[in-house]
Amino acid sequence: MKFSNVEQAFLENNGISGCPKDIPYITVENFPKLGLLSALRFLEWVSENPEGIISLPTGKTPEYFIKWTKYLLKNWEKREGRNFLEKYGLSGTKRPDLNSLSFVQIDEFYPISSKQHNSFNNYVKKYYIEGFGLDPRKALLINADIISLDGGKHFSEVFPDLKVDLTLRDRDPGCPLEKIQKSSIHLIDRWCSDYESQIREKGGIGFFLGGIGPDGHIAFNIRGSGFDSITRLTGTNFETQAAAAGDLGGMEISRNRLVITIGLNTITFNPEAAVIIFAAGEAKAPVVKNALEHSPSELYPATVLAKLKSARFYLTSGAASLLENSVDKYFIEGKWNREKTDSAVINLCQKVNKKITDLGLEEMKKDEYCRLIPGLNEDTPKGVIESIVGKIEKGLKIEKNQVFYHTGPHHDDIMLGILPAVHRVINENSNSNYFSILTSGFTAVTNRFIVDLLEGAKKFFKNWVIPIAENHDFFKSGYKEERDNDVFKYLAKTVSSDSEEKNSAVILRLIRSLVEVYELNSYKELTKKINKIVEDLKKSYDGEKNTPEIQLIKGKIREFEEEAIWASFGIRMENIDHLRLGFYTGDIFTEQPNRKRDVEPVLERIRKIRPTIISLAFDPEGSGPDTHYKVLQIVADALRQWNKEADLSTLRIWGYRNVWYRFSTVETNVILPVSPNDMAVMDDLFTNYYLTQVDASFPSYQHDGKFSELTRNIWEDQLDNVALLLGRKYFSGGKHPLLRSSRGLLFFREMGVKEFLSHARELERSMEGVL
C-alpha cells in the first residue's frame, strides 16, 4: 500500500497504520487529530486536483475537519500554518484554490425543505459552499423544494403528511391523491437518474470523505445495499433512523422520512478516487472491524471500497480498538500486567465457550495471547477467577458514612448508568446524597410534547383558574412557592394511578415555569402566552432550533422529572441541583467548556457538600462534541481547583457508563449484582417519571424501545458474560442473597482522584491546539 505525502508524514509523527485485508487504515490518537489528518489530506488532494470533484460529509463528525481546513487555508502563508505544512508533508505547496472545485452533495432526507437549518442542503451551503468559498455554480445539490413533481406541485401538496409510500412504484393507486403521488415518485426517480448521470459525465467523484453509520452504512447506503447501487430515493433501517432522529426532531419523524442518496457504485465509479471513511470513538469499533476485516459483502457496505487503490479509513484509537492489529499491539507491546492476563484468559473462554476452570494448560499454551502470559501454569486461571470475584465482592460491600455527589451530563444518565448502586447507598441512613445534572437536556424534548402539555393545560383551567386568580401574589412570588408540592402530588397520584391528577401536577409546574421565564403578571397574560407558544410550535418544522425561552421551558420539564425520580427515594429538593451549564446550546457544533461559566458552578457545589465519593459518566474516549466528554472535563477541572484547597487523597470517583458505552469485564473493577426488583424499579421509574423519554423520540440505535429496556438488556448480557466465566452455580449457589437473586450485573469503575485526573488530563491534552 502506498500512502500520500501527508499520510506518510502523519504516520511518522502521530499515527499507526494497517491493512487487515484490502483497505488500509491510519489510526490517530484522538478526535481533533482525526480532523487534522482529514483536512491535510483533503488540501493535499485539492492542490493536486484543483478542478476536481469532491463530496464532503454532514453531521457532527466533520467538526474538526471543517475547523482545521479553514484554519490552514487562513494561515497558509503565516508561521502558524507553515508549521503544520512543514510537519505534515506540504512544505512548499501553493495554497489551494477551492473555487475551481465541483461539489457533489452526498445525501438528503426526503421530503425536507432546503430552507430548514437541519437539512443537509443547508449544512452544505453553510459549511462548504460559503465556509470553504466554493463556487455554487459548480455544485450539484439535492434540493427537495425544486425537484419536479406531478403538475409542478410542491412536495407539501403531493405528500401533505410528509410520508412517501414507495409501494406505489409497483401497485395501482387507490385514490386520486395516490395517483399524483405515484406519478411524482417516478419523477423523483428520474431526477435521481439525472443526478447520477451528471456525476458520471464529470468523471465521477474524485475525493470522497464520509462517516460510517451504526449499521455500517456509507452515505445512506444501509446494510444490504447493492454494490451496484446508484443515486436513488430509498428507505432506511432502524439503526439509521435512530441516528437521524436528532437531526429530524424525533424518531416519530425519522421513521417515516425517506432519503435521497448517492449509491455505492456512485462512490466507486472513478477508479482513481480518493475515498476516505473516518470514524471516532469505541461505539464505532464493531462496524469498523466488520468493514475492514470482512471480505466484500453487501452486509458490510464499506467493504465495496476494496476495489479502490486509494480508499482509506482514518480512525481514532477507540474506533480501531477491535481490529486484530490493535489487539495484537495491546498484548505484545508494553509491560505485562494483571489486566492483560485477565483479557487473554477471558478472550479464550469466550472463543471456546468454556468456564475459566475448564481451561487446560495445553489449551492456553496454544492460544496466541494466553501463551504470552509470564509464568503461565495450571494455576493461572485461578488468578483470573480471584480477580473477577474480587470485583463482585467489592460490589456487595455496603458503603457507610459517605457523602455522595452524583453527577450526570443529562437527565436520566445517573438512573440509566448506576441506579442499583445509588439505590443501595440511599437506603443506608448514614450516607448523604446530592445530585447535579450539568446540562438542561432540552434537546431531548420534542415540540409535540410541549404542545400536548399546553393544550392539556386548557382542560384544567377551570380547576386552577380560581386558586391562581384569587392568589394575588401568584404572579409576583407565589409561582416560586410550593414547588415541592408539585412533585409530591405527582408521586402520590402515580401510586394511586390517577393519571388526570398526575398530569395536572406536571402542568402546574409548567405554569410556574412560564410565569417565571416570561415574567407574566396576570392570568390573562398567561393564557395569551400559552396560545402563542402553541401556535408558534405548531408552525415550527420538526427539528427547528427553539428560542432560548422555549429551550429553558423544555429543560425545566426535564428538571421536574429528575426531581420526581429522586424524591421517590426520599431525596430533598435542596439536594438536587440543575446547573444548566452554558456550553450546552443545542447547536450542531457546541462550544468548549470554559472555567468561569462551566467549571465554577460545579466547584462551588463540591466546596459546599465536600463529597467523599463522586459518581460521573466516564466516557471512554475524548470526542470533543460529546456532552459526556465535556462534562467529564468540567468535573475534572473542578477537582483540580479543589485539590489546591483540600486533601483529596481519600476521595473516590465512581465512573459509570450508560446505554451509549459499556465496560468490559476487564475494564470494570466493581461488579454489582442486579436483582429482578432492581430491574422492575428502574423500568417503573423510567416509564412513570421520564415522560419526555418514555416513547423514545431519540432512541439508541441498539434497541427499538425504551432506554430502560436497553439498560436491562445490557445488565443481563453482562451477567451472561460473567456466568460463562465463573459458571452459573457461582450465582445460584452463592452465599450472599444478592448473588442468588441476580438477573443482571452492573459494571462501573472506582478510581482515586489521581487516577481519574490522569485519565482526564490525557483527554484534555488531546484538545490542545484545537481552534
Side-chain angles (χ1 to χ4, degrees):
M1 59 184 166
K2 183 179 179 181
F3 290 112
S4 76
N5 290 339
V6 161
E7 291 172 332
Q8 191 61 49
F10 214 94
L11 286 170
E12 293 171 3
N13 284 282
N14 297 280
I16 300 167
S17 68
C19 186
K21 283 190 177 294
D22 302 304
I23 309 173
Y25 69 87
I26 297 175
T27 302
V28 298
E29 181 184 358
N30 54 62
F31 187 62
K33 285 185 178 177
L34 186 71
L36 176 60
L37 169 59
S38 304
L40 287 164
R41 177 64 185 117
F42 169 64
L43 294 172
E44 178 185 39
W45 186 89
V46 174
S47 68
E48 297 166 354
N49 303 272
E51 297 183 354
I53 304 170
I54 63 171
S55 274
L56 302 177
T58 54
K60 293 187 176 183
T61 305
E63 176 180 9
Y64 284 100
F65 163 72
I66 292 169
K67 287 184 175 180
W68 279 118
T69 299
K70 294 174 72 173
Y71 176 85
L72 292 168
L73 289 171
K74 181 180 178 180
N75 296 282
W76 198 273
E77 306 297 338
K78 300 176 183 178
R79 184 182 65 181
E80 301 95 309
R82 287 201 308 271
N83 290 340
F84 282 105
L85 301 180
E86 291 170 4
K87 184 176 182 179
Y88 294 113
L90 288 180
S91 179
T93 303
K94 184 180 177 182
R95 182 186 185 280
D97 179 11
L98 276 60
N99 189 255
S100 297
L101 295 170
S102 294
F103 186 93
V104 173
Q105 185 176 336
I106 295 172
D107 47 27
E108 182 60 281
F109 301 113
Y110 190 88
I112 190 171
S113 174
S114 63
K115 298 179 180 65
Q116 293 185 197
H117 88 283
N118 58 342
S119 72
F120 292 159
N121 181 283
N122 181 69
Y123 184 110
V124 164
K125 288 178 179 176
K126 179 177 180 179
Y127 292 108
Y128 296 136
I129 305 299
E130 297 173 12
F132 286 4
L134 303 179
D135 187 345
R137 296 170 298 179
K138 296 181 180 179
L140 280 178
L141 302 181
I142 305 172
N143 185 342
D145 289 313
I146 61 175
I147 295 177
S148 296
L149 302 179
D150 186 274
K153 294 181 174 64
H154 188 260
F155 67 72
S156 59
E157 300 174 271
V158 177
F159 308 106
D161 56 0
L162 302 184
K163 296 179 182 179
V164 182
D165 182 0
L166 290 183
T167 65
L168 282 167
R169 277 187 176 136
D170 306 306
R171 67 172 175 83
D172 293 331
C175 64
L177 179 59
E178 282 197 344
K179 184 177 181 180
I180 295 172
Q181 290 175 338
K182 181 181 180 74
S183 173
S184 295
I185 291 171
H186 290 157
L187 288 170
I188 297 170
D189 290 340
R190 184 181 305 170
W191 183 93
C192 290
S193 296
D194 291 343
Y195 192 82
E196 181 77 21
S197 297
Q198 291 180 73
I199 296 172
R200 295 183 180 232
E201 286 168 6
K202 291 174 178 288
I205 297 168
F207 182 92
F208 177 95
L209 177 65
I212 185 166
D215 69 324
H217 70 246
I218 303 298
F220 272 124
N221 295 285
I222 61 174
R223 182 180 55 250
S225 296
F227 284 0
D228 60 350
S229 58
I230 58 175
T231 304
R232 65 205 184 279
L233 175 68
T234 185
T236 56
N237 54 16
F238 171 76
E239 297 100 316
T240 303
Q241 292 160 8
D247 293 316
L248 290 173
M251 194 66 184
E252 303 87 343
I253 297 94
S254 60
R255 279 190 193 277
N256 298 303
R257 199 62 55 91
L258 302 185
V259 295
I260 293 176
T261 181
I262 62 175
L264 295 175
N265 190 257
T266 317
I267 297 169
T268 58
F269 172 73
N270 179 356
E272 303 299 318
V275 177
I276 297 166
I277 304 301
F278 59 176
E282 291 187 7
K284 290 293 176 70
V287 294
V288 166
K289 180 177 177 64
N290 288 334
L292 289 176
E293 294 184 349
H294 269 280
S295 299
S297 166
E298 292 179 352
L299 291 176
Y300 309 107
T303 56
V304 71
L305 304 181
K307 66 170 71 173
L308 297 177
K309 62 182 180 181
S310 294
R312 300 282 188 272
F313 267 65
Y314 292 170
L315 308 169
T316 64
S317 55
S321 60
L322 295 183
L323 296 175
E324 291 178 2
N325 287 2
S326 297
V327 178
D328 289 344
K329 179 180 172 64
Y330 166 75
F331 282 109
I332 294 171
E333 297 183 6
K335 186 178 180 180
W336 196 273
N337 55 25
R338 173 80 259 168
E339 185 179 282
K340 288 187 179 182
T341 297
D342 290 354
S343 293
V345 172
I346 289 171
N347 287 349
L348 178 58
C349 287
Q350 292 171 339
K351 190 188 306 180
V352 298
N353 197 33
K354 286 185 178 180
K355 292 191 301 183
I356 296 175
T357 53
D358 291 341
L359 291 179
L361 181 58
E362 291 304 313
E363 194 171 23
M364 289 188 288
K365 286 181 177 180
K366 292 178 182 179
D367 181 71
E368 58 182 328
Y369 301 128
C370 284
R371 65 188 179 198
L372 300 176
I373 298 173
L376 177 66
N377 58 58
E378 293 178 346
D379 291 330
T380 297
K382 294 180 182 178
V384 181
I385 293 173
E386 290 172 0
S387 175
I388 298 172
V389 169
K391 297 174 182 181
I392 296 173
E393 290 176 348
K394 196 170 183 179
L396 293 172
K397 176 186 173 184
I398 299 174
E399 296 286 352
K400 296 183 178 181
N401 300 306
Q402 303 295 336
V403 179
F404 286 89
Y405 182 41
H406 304 290
T407 69
H410 313 93
H411 306 83
D412 75 20
D413 276 331
I414 298 171
M415 194 196 77
L416 293 171
I418 200 170
L419 180 64
V422 174
H423 191 176
R424 286 167 201 181
V425 300
I426 289 176
N427 283 343
E428 169 53 50
N429 290 333
S430 65
N431 295 325
S432 300
N433 289 270
Y434 299 85
F435 297 79
S436 282
I437 307 303
L438 275 69
T439 73
S440 68
F442 61 82
T443 59
V445 183
T446 63
N447 288 350
R448 184 72 260 168
F449 182 89
I450 297 297
V451 168
D452 288 346
L453 206 56
L454 290 173
E455 290 188 328
K458 298 175 183 179
K459 299 176 183 178
F460 291 93
F461 270 175
K462 291 182 180 178
N463 296 328
W464 348 300
V465 67
I466 295 174
I468 290 178
E470 290 179 349
N471 183 350
H472 300 296
D473 292 329
F474 183 83
F475 292 97
K476 292 181 179 179
S477 61
Y479 68 88
K480 301 177 184 178
E481 300 168 1
E482 299 183 353
R483 289 173 178 263
D484 290 5
N485 287 345
D486 301 339
V487 172
F488 297 141
K489 179 180 179 181
Y490 186 86
L491 297 180
K493 299 308 176 181
T494 298
V495 172
S496 63
S497 300
D498 188 337
S499 58
E500 186 170 303
E501 283 298 306
K502 186 171 78 169
N503 196 42
S504 73
V506 183
I507 292 172
L508 183 53
R509 176 58 73 88
L510 175 60
I511 295 302
R512 297 183 194 276
S513 299
L514 292 171
V515 173
E516 178 184 7
V517 171
Y518 291 100
E519 299 180 349
L520 304 175
N521 295 307
S522 67
Y523 176 73
K524 183 178 180 180
E525 288 184 14
L526 171 62
T527 53
K528 183 177 179 182
K529 178 56 67 176
I530 288 175
N531 290 331
K532 183 69 167 72
I533 292 173
V534 169
E535 179 186 354
D536 289 345
L537 290 182
K538 283 186 173 181
K539 288 191 297 186
S540 299
Y541 58 80
D542 295 309
E544 182 174 359
K545 185 176 179 180
N546 297 127
T547 64
E549 293 81 7
I550 293 299
Q551 290 178 351
L552 187 53
I553 293 296
K554 287 184 172 183
K556 284 176 174 288
I557 291 296
R558 298 228 63 194
E559 291 166 6
F560 175 83
E561 295 173 335
E562 196 73 11
E563 289 171 5
I565 286 285
W566 302 121
S568 71
F569 290 99
I571 300 298
R572 295 185 177 93
M573 295 300 101
E574 58 263 31
N575 285 28
I576 304 171
D577 278 331
H578 310 292
L579 298 185
R580 305 175 196 161
L581 298 184
F583 78 87
Y584 185 84
T585 62
D587 294 323
I588 188 167
F589 301 142
T590 59
E591 299 176 36
Q592 293 297 324
N594 69 59
R595 181 163 292 170
K596 182 171 181 59
R597 181 191 62 195
D598 301 313
V599 176
E600 287 188 5
V602 179
L603 177 58
E604 180 183 342
R605 189 61 172 154
I606 290 174
R607 282 175 177 150
K608 181 179 178 181
I609 67 174
R610 304 187 71 81
T612 58
I613 298 177
I614 297 177
S615 68
L616 50 82
F618 196 59
D619 188 342
E621 181 174 75
S623 299
D626 184 73
T627 304
H628 285 209
Y629 164 75
K630 291 176 178 176
V631 165
L632 174 70
Q633 288 303 321
I634 288 167
V635 176
D637 200 27
L639 287 178
R640 291 190 195 102
Q641 300 307 309
W642 195 37
N643 197 31
K644 298 174 184 177
E645 309 167 15
D647 178 10
L648 305 188
S649 59
T650 59
L651 178 64
R652 289 181 281 161
I653 308 297
W654 284 4
Y656 62 82
R657 294 178 183 169
N658 55 26
V659 295
W660 305 109
Y661 301 101
R662 63 183 74 178
F663 288 105
S664 69
T665 307
V666 173
E667 289 176 304
T668 185
N669 61 11
V670 182
I671 298 177
L672 191 152
V674 178
S675 70
N677 183 60
D678 291 322
M679 294 180 177
V681 167
M682 178 195 62
D683 190 63
D684 179 70
L685 289 173
F686 192 89
T687 302
N688 284 302
Y689 294 86
Y690 286 122
L691 302 179
T692 62
Q693 307 304 305
V694 70
D695 290 329
S697 290
F698 305 96
S700 164
Y701 62 85
Q702 301 174 70
H703 178 70
D704 189 359
K706 295 182 295 185
F707 281 125
S708 57
E709 295 170 348
L710 176 55
T711 299
R712 184 193 64 216
N713 293 344
I714 291 171
W715 291 344
E716 291 172 344
D717 288 345
Q718 289 172 171
L719 174 61
D720 288 342
N721 292 337
V722 175
L724 169 64
L725 303 173
L726 301 182
R728 288 281 175 184
K729 285 187 177 180
Y730 172 82
F731 295 96
S732 61
K735 295 181 179 179
H736 199 292
L738 284 176
L739 286 176
R740 297 193 297 273
S741 67
S742 59
R743 294 298 177 268
L745 295 175
L746 167 65
F747 290 178
F748 61 95
R749 185 170 184 85
E750 181 177 286
M751 298 164 279
V753 172
K754 185 176 180 180
E755 179 187 352
F756 168 66
L757 291 182
S758 174
H759 177 82
R761 176 67 71 182
E762 179 182 341
L763 295 181
E764 183 185 54
R765 190 177 296 116
S766 76
M767 308 299 286
E768 292 176 1
V770 177
L771 313 175

